[in-house]
Amino acid sequence: MSSSTSRQSRYGDLPLSFAKPLECPWTGISLLTSPPFNKGSAFSKEERQEFDLHGLLPPNVQSLEEQVERAYDQYSSRQDALAKNTFMTSMKEQNEVLYYKLINDHLKEMFSIIYTPTEGDAIQNFSRLFRKPEGCFLNILDQEQVYGNLARFGKPEDIDYIVVTDGEEILGIGDQGVGGILISVAKSVITTLCAGVHPSRTLAVVLDCGTDNEQLLADELYLGLRQPRVRGEQYDKFVDTFVQSARKLYPRAYIHFEDFGLPNARRLLDLYRPHMACFNDDVQGTGCVTLAGVMAALEVSKVKMTDMRMVIFGSGTAGTGIADQVRDAIAADSERSKEEAAKQIWCVDKPGLLMKSQGDRLTHAQIGYARDDKEWENISHDDLLSVVKQVKPNVLIGTSTKPKAFTEEIIKEMAKHVNRPIVFPLSNPTRLHEADPKDINEWTKGKALIATGSPFPPVEYEGKQYEIAECNNSTCFPGLALGTILSRSRLLSDKMLVAAVKALAAMSPALKDPDKGLLPDVVDVREISVKIAKAVIKQAVEEGLATEEGIPNSDDDLDEWVREQMWEPRYRPLKRVTK
């Protein structure tokens, strides 16, 4: 018996089972213009008869594989990355399965087209490239309409995953106003592609609060609110109206906050996290995947987490998010308080080391990492080199967006005191990296364990090749979402995050060969997501947070149960139903 047949017989009755025929209320032209149902030239002869498609399609019935071949030729003919991105957007608006199948078959090549960095260009040009709306547009001047606008997208059981942004801090390119809808769309796509969350059960949302981007305000074609960004009490009320409306309308949905500005990202997460299953990729996702890389590197270098000394250069949303995940992992492993665990982490920002005397200049997220001034009395701490000399870190993380900040002197100073320096220049895009992996490798004579925020080719030292891992959030947040959704967990707890991190770290190629990458490659992401989802589900069950009934106990059964509910880019039989 095939595995698919086995899954169908055991778990085929689950509401999210992919083994079932797809119920379709559309016929004729309406069917051909409905992306979730449209098969184009792949409609069978029987389906063409059943769904009144004769005369609307060329007669030759083709396979999905033949469609992918044609689509890839068309894609390849586009002259630049942004044109390719626009082509893919158009395809998504026509045929959902073909769109995902094409990306799946060319994942390594296309990932940077549908996501960073090219999606950033698309977002910046949103109002000029706009053709067709996708997602839900909510604006701060119409707060009384938020509930009704959200209600358009289905019944309470129809939505599993909501990605929401206010567009203030997009992909390192700053305030993009209403164009932020495209990052919500992109994150939804990545979660479907990487973890099989059903695309028709996702919802992309933008909270349009205005924009402080002068270029957008001066652009006569700009599609968002043409006013300065609203802040303060009115902003908080708007966000809360959205959250409460979403929770009432779609009580089973997991909410993913994306690219909120520095003053709000951590504050809003802390506000809502104790009450519902929610996540912020900038705060938690970057921290999780970085921690997984650090865990693998510590294993390779034979250093215990509780003995580690970490310096983080760049203490914004990403930097403090990494610090939080590392702190929580240290606390969990050592049964120490979070306050004690935080003492193993030194955060450096523009003024130098974070100090308690900086008072109101510290953000909410930075306060827990500010050092006591007495510790550094008469010791220089205004620059990164001074801090590295004093702390002698095992791990150096860069989230500063300051190019070449990890100088030869800093890296060599670090290498004086530790056998295997762990160096992660994570700032994106590539031009903002704190150091080139090739240079780090040279300066440490091949001893550094390196991960970056963008893809880099392998580096060499004295004829030996070393792979460079990419800290790609997409290897982590989709599996987290899948596990939280399938378990219907009431919350996303610290222990669930740690479970996800450990599952990702356990798949590190460097654990088998220290010259391999510290993190698994994104091409293996669906298998990665299954393992992460299983770990998250088990932890949710253990903590009593899972509300889904019938979650299997055995590992093999849980594996089948998860896979059965993952959407795949293949055509399913259509079952005609009335509207």
Side-chain angles (χ1 to χ4, degrees), residues 77-148:
S77 71
R78 273 36 183 197
Q79 292 183 337
D80 57 48
L82 187 56
K84 286 179 166 68
N85 176 281
T86 304
F87 171 81
M88 294 302 294
T89 298
S90 178
M91 176 176 290
K92 185 171 183 284
E93 293 167 353
Q94 298 171 53
N95 185 328
E96 204 165 68
V97 170
L98 179 56
Y99 168 81
Y100 282 105
K101 179 63 174 173
L102 177 60
I103 300 169
N104 190 68
D105 286 0
H106 301 277
L107 185 61
K108 198 82 170 178
E109 176 184 352
M110 292 187 175
F111 208 89
S112 64
I113 298 296
I114 62 162
Y115 192 43
T116 180
T118 311
E119 188 66 12
D121 295 336
I123 291 168
Q124 286 181 299
N125 289 280
F126 172 74
S127 293
R128 294 187 168 268
L129 296 175
F130 180 82
R131 293 177 182 175
K132 183 179 179 181
E134 181 174 8
C136 182
F137 297 81
L138 304 176
N139 84 72
I140 199 164
L141 301 184
D142 296 322
Q143 295 198 37
E144 72 283 354
Q145 295 187 36
V146 167
Y147 186 92

Side-chain angles (χ1 to χ4, degrees), residues 167-210:
E168 185 172 8
E169 195 59 53
I170 301 288
L171 291 175
I173 56 175
D175 190 342
Q176 297 300 317
V178 76
I181 187 65
L182 293 187
I183 195 61
S184 294
V185 171
K187 289 288 186 176
S188 300
V189 166
I190 295 298
T191 307
T192 294
L193 184 69
C194 298
V197 172
H198 291 231
S200 62
R201 302 180 64 81
T202 69
L203 176 59
V205 179
V206 64
L207 305 178
D208 189 351
C209 306

Side-chain angles (χ1 to χ4, degrees), residues 19-36:
K20 297 176 180 179
L22 185 61
E23 294 185 348
C24 178
W26 311 111
T27 60
I29 292 173
S30 296
L31 175 54
L32 294 179
T33 55
S34 178

Side-chain angles (χ1 to χ4, degrees), residues 11 34 65 171 178 187 196 210 311 328 413 426 431 452 561:
Y11 300 116
S34 178
E65 289 68 29
L171 291 175
V178 76
K187 289 288 186 176
V311 170
D328 292 351
E413 177 64 32
L426 300 180
R431 61 184 170 79
T452 56
W561 186 83

Side-chain angles (χ1 to χ4, degrees), residues 30-52:
S30 296
L31 175 54
L32 294 179
T33 55
S34 178
F37 299 96
N38 183 26
K39 300 182 182 181
S41 61
F43 280 111
S44 68
K45 291 181 179 179
E46 293 76 16
E47 287 172 331
R48 295 178 188 212
Q49 182 68 35
E50 174 76 11
F51 291 93
D52 195 22

Side-chain angles (χ1 to χ4, degrees), residues 254-356:
Y254 167 79
I255 297 180
H256 174 139
F257 295 101
E258 182 67 27
D259 285 343
F260 281 72
L262 183 59
N264 297 315
R266 180 56 189 264
R267 181 177 65 86
L268 293 174
L269 181 66
D270 287 347
L271 177 63
Y272 292 112
R273 195 173 172 224
H275 309 291
M276 64 184 194
C278 64
F279 175 80
N280 185 305
D281 193 42
D282 310 289
V283 176
Q284 296 166 298
T286 303
C288 283
V289 72
T290 303
L291 175 57
V294 168
M295 282 182 165
L298 291 173
E299 184 75 20
V300 171
S301 58
K302 297 180 171 56
V303 175
K304 293 180 181 178
M305 177 77 74
T306 50
D307 295 332
M308 177 196 64
R309 300 178 303 281
M310 175 181 285
V311 170
I312 299 176
F313 182 58
S315 301
T317 301
T320 54
I322 291 167
D324 287 346
Q325 296 303 321
V326 173
R327 176 203 62 195
D328 292 351
I330 294 170
D333 280 357
S334 62
E335 297 186 352
R336 290 153 59 194
S337 69
K338 290 185 179 182
E339 291 73 22
E340 279 297 310
K343 292 178 180 178
Q344 290 181 225
I345 304 166
W346 288 260
C347 291
V348 181
D349 212 55
K350 292 174 184 175
L353 187 65
L354 298 186
M355 306 296 288
K356 289 183 178 178

Side-chain angles (χ1 to χ4, degrees), residues 66 174 201 351 381 395:
E66 289 171 319
R201 302 180 64 81
H381 53 75
V395 184

